[in-house]
Amino acid sequence: MGFYCCALINYSKKHIHEHAKSKRHNLAIDLLYGGIYCFVCQDYIYDKDMEQIAKEEQRKAWKLQVFSKTSGIGEKYSMWEPTKRELELLRHNPKRRKITANCTIGLRGLINLGNTCFMNCIVQALTHTPLLRDFFLSDRHKCEMQSNSCLVCEMSQLFQEFYSGHRSPHIPFRLLHLVWTHARHLAGYEQQDAHEFLIAALDVLHRHCKDDNGKKANNPNHCSCIIDQIFTGGLQSDVTCQVCHGVSTTIDPFWDISLDLPGSSTPFWPLSPGSDGSVVNGDSHPSGATTLTDCLRRFTRPEHLGSSAKIKCSGCHSYQESTKQLTMKRLPIVACFHLKRFEHSAKLRRKITTYVSFPLELDMTPFMASSKESRMNGQYLQPVDSLNNDNKYSLFAVVNHQGTLESGHYTTFIRQHKDQWFKCDDAIITKASIKDVLDSEGSVAHIHQCSDV
């Protein structure tokens, strides 16, 4: 097999195709990933020997990069300095692209690669997360991993693709390959759960990130990587002894909040006082409809553990019955609510289709650990101090699942501007109304702190 010195340059202008035809250079190397492209077959060629050679060369290049970095010769990323021509262009074109109300920058469909709608819908939500978008578009990730196995690098490239202005659907084959590599339980072309993919993606991104001090981000409690800065909150668990009323408190990090729904085998708490059609937490809802606030109230209500789950009280020095209550000790910048629509048990596998009404704006103050005193015996009371903007959130993405447990399809509603919503259905992007969003059967809802939107 012969090889020709031919790089994939000006690919979009078909220069490489003209070159291959005129010079009969039928083989070319993709300099980004090291793949070999055949112009006769019009496809990539996957050869084990060539892949091994590419891995060896990548390993050598990695060693050189590490040596140059440790010896002070250079850095992996060199600073960009504009050329004279670029400076001239900047002087003659002082105006920058203005983002208007009708701007579609950032809207791009994703090709379904075979039951990958679960991945596409989460990618749409992540690429429209404001602070995550700002991080990746500012090129702040410094990769320390070998070869092309870094999911953070691929996400960075994905953000560049989304905000490049191209309108043709993107093919996320590299992302799918890395997901299969780092999250083996999601490998294959079977239908997967979007929420499960979200948690797996955040976990891999978290592990591939480094904090500001250059230390591995292994402990979610002591990490300053971009994933933890945006998505990690603190969940407080208070276990109260029913005899001496002593309280044992633990605080655990969380990336999402899973909420039970009416209609499941788990008994649901009575609806909130606003369930007759009044306004609760900034949004009205139809009579009898379950609200996101109802689900949060149930999540944070005191729960009696019963005689079969006694704990050893440090005050009584014996096993006693107790109550447990969960509250938010620290809120993340972006909160992800997972509505538990899929019920799995030894005797039952089904989808719960209960409609849940959620507001465009949500105040999380009543569910904070500091607001426990304002809830007595599980009854909802509006806190006096609700002026803290850090506790107020705005809806910006909703993931939906249509169909049954065995056969279904995921789509996403994302907010482009303040009041502009779009429906992302794999490769198809269509404009949506706020009513379309609020009437949808949400599975995962993403909300963002109002102070950071």
Side-chain angles (χ1 to χ4, degrees):
M1 181 183 288
F3 290 94
Y4 298 95
C5 180
C6 188
L8 291 178
I9 55 175
N10 288 336
Y11 191 89
S12 61
K13 295 182 180 180
K14 305 299 182 181
H15 166 81
I16 188 64
H17 295 276
E18 295 171 3
H19 176 83
K21 186 177 180 180
S22 62
K23 301 295 183 180
R24 294 187 178 181
H25 290 178
N26 295 326
L27 296 175
I29 297 177
D30 185 334
L31 297 181
L32 182 60
Y33 297 118
I36 301 174
Y37 187 84
C38 176
F39 289 96
V40 177
C41 305
Q42 294 187 355
D43 200 357
Y44 281 91
I45 300 172
Y46 295 96
D47 181 79
K48 289 184 178 180
D49 294 334
M50 286 303 302
E51 287 189 3
Q52 187 61 36
I53 293 173
K55 287 181 180 178
E56 290 296 329
E57 294 301 321
Q58 287 172 353
R59 196 173 292 113
K60 291 178 183 178
W62 169 253
K63 289 180 179 178
L64 288 174
Q65 287 174 343
V66 172
F67 172 76
S68 65
K69 193 169 183 179
T70 55
S71 60
I73 295 175
E75 296 182 0
K76 188 172 183 183
Y77 293 98
S78 58
M79 295 295 291
W80 172 71
E81 293 184 5
T83 63
K84 290 183 179 180
R85 173 61 178 160
E86 289 169 337
L87 288 171
E88 184 180 346
L89 287 172
L90 289 171
R91 279 194 295 267
H92 285 84
N93 298 276
K95 291 185 177 181
R96 302 293 179 263
R97 177 178 287 177
K98 184 179 180 181
I99 303 298
T100 63
N102 297 321
C103 181
T104 58
I105 295 293
L107 292 175
R108 194 169 184 183
L110 290 167
I111 297 295
N112 191 316
L113 301 175
N115 282 331
T116 57
C117 57
F118 72 93
M119 178 182 74
N120 291 348
C121 68
I122 296 300
V123 168
Q124 292 287 359
L126 292 177
T127 52
H128 288 87
T129 302
L131 286 183
L132 201 61
R133 173 199 63 205
D134 296 345
F135 173 83
F136 280 110
L137 292 183
S138 61
D139 196 24
R140 291 168 61 187
H141 170 59
K142 292 187 171 74
C143 186
E144 299 291 343
M145 296 185 65
Q146 296 187 33
S147 69
N148 296 317
S149 61
C150 179
L151 186 62
V152 185
C153 289
E154 182 58 30
M155 284 298 295
S156 181
Q157 181 64 34
L158 195 66
F159 272 86
Q160 298 291 338
E161 291 286 348
F162 263 72
Y163 291 90
S164 64
H166 297 306
R167 293 196 172 192
S168 59
H170 178 65
I171 307 175
F173 69 97
R174 281 283 307 168
L175 177 65
L176 181 64
H177 171 70
L178 288 176
V179 169
W180 285 1
T181 301
H182 298 293
R184 297 282 185 180
H185 61 289
L186 295 175
Y189 291 101
E190 296 83 9
Q191 293 189 57
Q192 303 289 352
D193 182 77
H195 169 254
E196 191 174 354
F197 173 80
L198 170 65
I199 299 305
L202 291 180
D203 178 61
V204 176
L205 288 169
H206 164 73
R207 287 190 280 114
H208 289 187
C209 278
K210 291 218 177 232
D211 63 11
D212 295 336
N213 298 322
K215 298 177 181 178
K216 280 285 185 181
N218 292 326
N219 190 340
N221 295 302
H222 302 90
C223 179
S224 59
C225 76
I226 188 62
I227 299 302
D228 279 312
Q229 287 184 48
I230 295 176
F231 294 98
T232 300
L235 186 65
Q236 179 169 316
S237 173
D238 294 319
V239 178
T240 305
C241 174
Q242 294 297 284
V243 176
C244 70
H245 301 292
V247 180
S248 174
T249 299
T250 58
I251 300 173
D252 295 307
F254 70 88
W255 280 333
D256 72 317
I257 301 168
S258 292
L259 301 172
D260 290 316
L261 298 178
S264 67
S265 57
T266 305
F268 199 81
W269 211 37
L271 298 179
S272 62
S275 60
D276 57 354
S278 62
V279 176
V280 174
N281 213 338
D283 196 53
S284 61
H285 52 90
S287 177
T290 302
T291 67
L292 181 62
T293 304
D294 291 325
C295 298
L296 284 168
R297 288 177 60 240
R298 186 194 185 283
F299 182 80
T300 56
R301 69 170 180 173
E303 177 186 2
H304 183 63
L305 298 181
S307 58
S308 61
K310 291 183 178 180
I311 63 162
K312 190 170 184 179
C313 176
S314 58
C316 300
H317 302 290
S318 61
Y319 286 92
Q320 303 289 354
E321 291 189 20
S322 60
T323 59
K324 179 180 179 180
Q325 184 173 14
L326 299 175
T327 50
M328 311 297 164
K329 178 64 176 180
R330 184 176 68 85
L331 291 171
I333 295 175
V334 171
C336 304
F337 296 117
H338 166 228
L339 303 182
K340 295 159 71 172
R341 294 203 174 275
F342 301 136
E343 189 171 29
H344 301 272
S345 64
K347 298 181 180 180
L348 189 65
R349 291 181 72 253
R350 65 187 180 118
K351 178 184 175 183
I352 301 169
T353 59
T354 304
Y355 171 72
V356 176
S357 172
F358 42 88
L360 291 173
E361 306 289 336
L362 178 67
D363 186 359
M364 290 291 290
T365 303
F367 314 110
M368 297 295 294
S370 56
S371 302
K372 275 180 61 176
E373 294 77 14
S374 67
R375 285 189 308 276
M376 300 178 181
N377 298 321
Q379 296 300 311
Y380 179 87
L381 294 176
Q382 183 69 32
V384 177
D385 182 16
S386 59
L387 301 176
N388 189 356
N389 279 336
D390 289 342
N391 296 343
K392 294 182 179 179
Y393 286 78
S394 178
L395 186 71
F396 75 91
V398 179
V399 175
N400 292 280
H401 180 271
Q402 293 89 34
T404 64
L405 188 64
E406 292 76 19
S407 177
H409 180 64
Y410 283 103
T411 59
T412 310
F413 286 108
I414 56 98
R415 188 183 67 190
Q416 175 76 347
H417 301 294
K418 181 173 175 58
D419 293 319
Q420 284 198 345
W421 287 85
F422 291 87
K423 182 180 180 180
C424 304
D425 186 352
D426 287 333
I428 302 173
I429 309 291
T430 54
K431 199 163 186 179
S433 67
I434 294 178
K435 186 178 185 301
D436 293 332
V437 179
L438 298 183
D439 287 348
S440 64
E441 187 185 284
S443 293
V444 181
H446 298 252
I447 60 175
H448 201 296
Q449 276 185 353
C450 292
S451 57
D452 289 299
V453 175

